[in-house]
């Protein structure tokens, strides 16, 4: 029988009602047999995520300080959820053990992982499903890479009938100790599970009905993004639309398993489908994303094009300071490097000094207050007139374009504008294409 993996994010398991919603979703489709859960997230703006509280407990314990206050919040939350669901699991006992282990100096990743672990135990009990311990199957190597064999191991653990619940966010390191992915990593667990069971779709349940074609804080009532390709979503994530953990795409995209972003409060909404291939005839551009907070370092030197190693030396200065860059458009005698303000913070003067000393440029300057806007769509390739439409829209809105970059894959046109023009520019491009 076809299988569907459903991952429920922290915002959909904040309380008992959220977990009851999981039951309703599962009952709507018998293929939904594999459930991955995050730790309970925030119930409101002033609330704290369980994972953040666990990190705090670990930090306090490490400094020999009292963890009573944050641990009390964790305890209350789980006891309330378990109490309202009326489950038989001894959550009180699990919490006391955890409390003891944190005070005894349990490692950071272990402590953080308990948010998902406890949540999955509760959900499994409530759904009368089998709990599968992620750490017994998923091995996480250096820099969060998933070790070969994790999928196969998980596949055999999930091969029976009925419902399964798997905690997200963690596995075990090569030494067997609990190890977490980076923040938001339950998406990755969901993707591994989807690959393991050969799911027909990987459903990612959140509290939004998928993505919009642009940021609703900038564009009033943007259209929903119904279908988008893996490549397009990567390009959009690169510049801001980050709802889905980027490392979660590769396990499913390799197998061409579609990812469906769904809203737990509106389970009948189709949400956004992330697929391998979409028909681009009806829509060339799929989304417009942007980000503020960039600076441009511009270096000018006559006959730069004839000097061997100029770019390498410029980039190695950035490398020495541990600064990665966004893009580097260049002219015959100029090179510009776009860097996020955050990465440059506290280092700008020293970087400039090194450029002056090592490259002896005719001119070098840093301009801040810069924003980037990505107009993304696989349908732009080999279709004349797209760039003209974009630049006309910006010209008509009276916006000066400070920088243009289009890769040869023609999937993304990036423009740089002054931050004062940013929102107007996004709106103008949206009107032109959506
Ligand atoms: N609970 C973890 C976090 O807050 C992982 C996740 O929610 O995916 O980052």
């Amino acid at each position: 029988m076809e299988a569907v993996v459903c991952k429920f994010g922290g915002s959909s398991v904040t309380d008992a009602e959220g977990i009851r919603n999981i039951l309703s979703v599962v009952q709507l489709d018998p293929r939904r047999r594999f459930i991955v859960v995050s730790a309970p997230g925030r119930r409101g703006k002033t609330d704290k995520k369980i994972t953040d509280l666990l990190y705090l407990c670990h930090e306090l314990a490490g400094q020999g300080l009292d963890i009573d206050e944050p641990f009390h919040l964790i305890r209350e939350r789980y006891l309330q959820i378990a109490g309202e669901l009326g489950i038989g699991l001894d959550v009180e006992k699990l919490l006391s053990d955890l409390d003891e282990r944190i005070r005894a100096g349990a490692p950071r990743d272990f402590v953080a992982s308990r948010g998902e672990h406890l949540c999955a135990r509760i959900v499994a009990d409530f759904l009368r499903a089998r709990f599968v311990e992620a750490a017994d199957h998923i091995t996480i190597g250096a820099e969060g890479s998933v070790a070969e064999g994790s999928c196969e191991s998980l596949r055999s653990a999930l091969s029976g009938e009925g419902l399964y619940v798997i905690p997200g966010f963690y596995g075990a390191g090569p030494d067997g100790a609990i190890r977490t992915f980076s923040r938001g990593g339950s998406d990755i667990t969901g993707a591994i599970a989807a690959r393991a069971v050969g799911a027909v779709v990987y459903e990612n349940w959140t509290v939004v009905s998928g993505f919009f074609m642009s940021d609703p804080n900038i564009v009033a009532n943007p259209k929903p993004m119904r279908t988008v390709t893996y490549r397009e979503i990567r390009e959009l994530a690169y510049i801001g639309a980050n709802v889905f953990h980027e490392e979660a795409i590769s396990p499913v995209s390799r197998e061409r398993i579609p990812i469906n972003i769904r809203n737990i409060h509106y389970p009948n909404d189709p949400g956004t489908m992330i697929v391998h291939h979409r028909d681009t005839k009806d829509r060339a551009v799929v989304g417009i994303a942007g980000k503020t907070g960039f600076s441009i370092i511009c270096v000018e030197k006559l006959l730069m094009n004839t000097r061997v190693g100029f770019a390498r030396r410029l980039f190695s200065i950035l490398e020495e300071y541990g600064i990665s860059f966004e893009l580097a458009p260049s002219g015959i005698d100029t090179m510009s490097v776009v860097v996020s303000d955050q990465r440059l913070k506290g280092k700008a003067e020293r970087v400039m000094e090194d450029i002056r000393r090592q490259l002896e440029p005719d001119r070098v300057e840093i301009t801040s207050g810069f924003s980037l806007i990505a107009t993304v769509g696989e349908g732009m390739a080999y279709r004349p007139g797209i760039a003209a439409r974009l630049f006309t829209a910006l010209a008509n809105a009276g916006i000066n374009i400070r920088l243009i970059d289009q890769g040869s894959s023609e999937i993304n046109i990036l423009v740089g504008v002054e931050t004062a023009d940013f929102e107007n520019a996004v709106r103008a491009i949206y009107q032109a294409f959506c």
Side-chain angles (χ1 to χ4, degrees):
M1 184 184 164
E2 287 184 342
V4 173
V5 168
C6 304
K7 180 255 168 179
F8 294 89
S11 53
S12 45
V13 292
T14 52
D15 53 17
E17 200 196 322
I19 294 172
R20 281 200 200 95
N21 288 338
I22 297 184
L23 177 62
S24 326
V25 163
V26 165
Q27 283 172 338
L28 281 173
D29 185 341
R31 299 175 307 166
R32 293 180 175 139
R33 294 204 297 119
F34 305 99
I35 316 298
V36 175
V37 291
S38 286
R42 273 187 210 103
R43 287 160 298 185
K45 282 210 172 93
T46 53
D47 200 16
K48 292 236 168 5
K49 286 183 176 187
I50 292 289
T51 310
D52 290 328
L53 290 169
L54 287 164
Y55 278 126
L56 180 62
C57 286
H58 174 264
E59 205 180 306
L60 293 173
Q63 294 168 15
L65 298 170
D66 196 25
I67 65 165
D68 277 359
E69 217 176 291
F71 199 81
H72 174 74
L73 296 174
I74 296 171
R75 180 190 295 277
E76 287 298 288
R77 181 88 83 94
Y78 282 111
L79 289 180
Q80 191 181 353
I81 293 177
E84 284 179 25
L85 293 175
I87 55 171
L89 183 73
D90 192 350
V91 180
E92 183 78 63
K93 165 90 174 61
L94 293 171
L95 286 162
S96 306
D97 290 350
L98 175 59
D99 188 4
E100 230 172 80
R101 289 193 71 168
I102 299 176
R103 289 178 204 271
R108 188 170 188 266
D109 279 11
F110 170 81
V111 175
S113 73
R114 295 305 90 182
E116 271 69 13
H117 179 87
L118 278 172
C119 186
R121 298 277 300 266
I122 291 173
V123 173
D125 204 272
F126 179 63
L127 297 180
R128 296 180 203 288
R130 271 183 269 190
F131 169 82
V132 171
E133 175 49 84
D136 291 344
H137 306 285
I138 299 176
T139 307
I140 305 177
E143 290 176 20
S145 60
V146 178
E148 282 295 318
S150 299
C151 254
E152 287 65 28
S153 173
L154 198 54
R155 181 176 305 133
S156 61
L158 299 174
S159 60
E161 300 286 305
L163 269 181
Y164 288 89
V165 178
I166 310 141
F169 189 40
Y170 72 92
D175 59 353
I178 295 284
R179 187 162 189 166
T180 60
F181 290 115
S182 54
R183 295 301 303 264
S186 301
D187 284 345
I188 309 175
T189 313
I192 299 168
R195 195 170 150 212
V197 302
V200 285
V201 56
Y202 168 27
E203 292 178 345
N204 203 278
W205 290 85
T206 65
V207 289
V208 290
S209 291
F211 306 117
F212 292 106
M213 292 184 72
S214 195
D215 183 347
N217 296 314
I218 301 175
V219 174
N221 302 316
K223 290 185 185 149
M225 192 188 282
R226 287 276 171 249
T227 312
V228 57
T229 67
Y230 304 123
R231 288 174 76 217
E232 289 168 332
I233 208 71
R234 283 291 305 131
E235 292 291 331
L236 289 164
Y238 155 70
I239 194 98
N242 236 341
V243 181
F244 191 66
H245 197 298
E246 55 186 22
E247 287 161 46
I249 294 194
S250 100
V252 278
S253 66
R254 268 187 279 156
E255 306 295 321
R256 302 194 179 179
I257 299 169
I259 305 164
N260 191 192
I261 311 290
R262 301 284 288 258
N263 189 341
I264 187 91
H265 299 310
Y266 300 95
N268 294 321
D269 270 9
T272 299
M273 254 321 182
I274 309 174
V275 294
H276 172 70
H277 174 79
R278 72 177 177 92
D279 187 354
T280 55
K281 272 201 289 307
D282 46 331
R283 211 172 260 302
V285 168
V286 83
I288 294 128
K291 210 168 166 182
T292 58
F294 292 101
S295 296
I296 308 187
I297 304 172
C298 181
V299 188
E300 197 175 320
K301 188 167 175 98
L302 196 67
L303 298 179
M304 181 190 287
N305 61 327
T306 62
R307 291 175 209 267
V308 177
F310 192 90
R312 182 185 49 75
R313 276 183 289 150
L314 176 59
F315 292 142
S316 57
I317 294 173
L318 294 176
E319 192 181 343
E320 266 163 44
Y321 286 95
I323 300 171
S324 63
F325 66 94
E326 303 299 314
L327 55 146
S330 57
I332 191 158
D333 286 337
T334 58
M335 265 202 79
S336 315
V337 187
V338 181
V339 183
S340 87
D341 290 342
Q342 220 182 347
R343 294 204 175 106
L344 205 56
K345 205 165 154 199
K347 301 173 178 168
E349 267 319 302
R350 280 176 295 150
V351 169
M352 293 287 271
E353 238 171 70
D354 283 10
I355 294 176
R356 277 192 206 102
R357 197 164 31 81
Q358 293 185 35
L359 299 175
E360 297 176 341
D362 301 330
R363 187 177 71 91
V364 54
E365 63 180 28
I366 297 187
T367 318
S368 55
F370 209 71
S371 298
L372 291 175
I373 302 167
T375 303
V376 174
E378 301 222 32
M380 301 196 302
Y382 307 105
R383 192 178 295 189
I386 299 276
R389 207 180 331 158
L390 195 156
F391 298 131
T392 308
L394 291 176
N396 289 343
I399 290 160
N400 178 38
I401 304 169
R402 294 283 312 270
L403 174 156
I404 300 167
D405 187 271
Q406 181 189 25
S408 55
S409 65
E410 289 187 70
I411 180 176
N412 184 359
I413 301 179
L414 272 173
V415 293
V417 298
E418 269 163 31
T419 296
D421 289 329
F422 172 64
E423 296 201 353
N424 280 338
V426 171
R427 283 190 279 266
I429 301 173
Y430 179 85
Q431 296 303 342
F433 289 104
C434 304

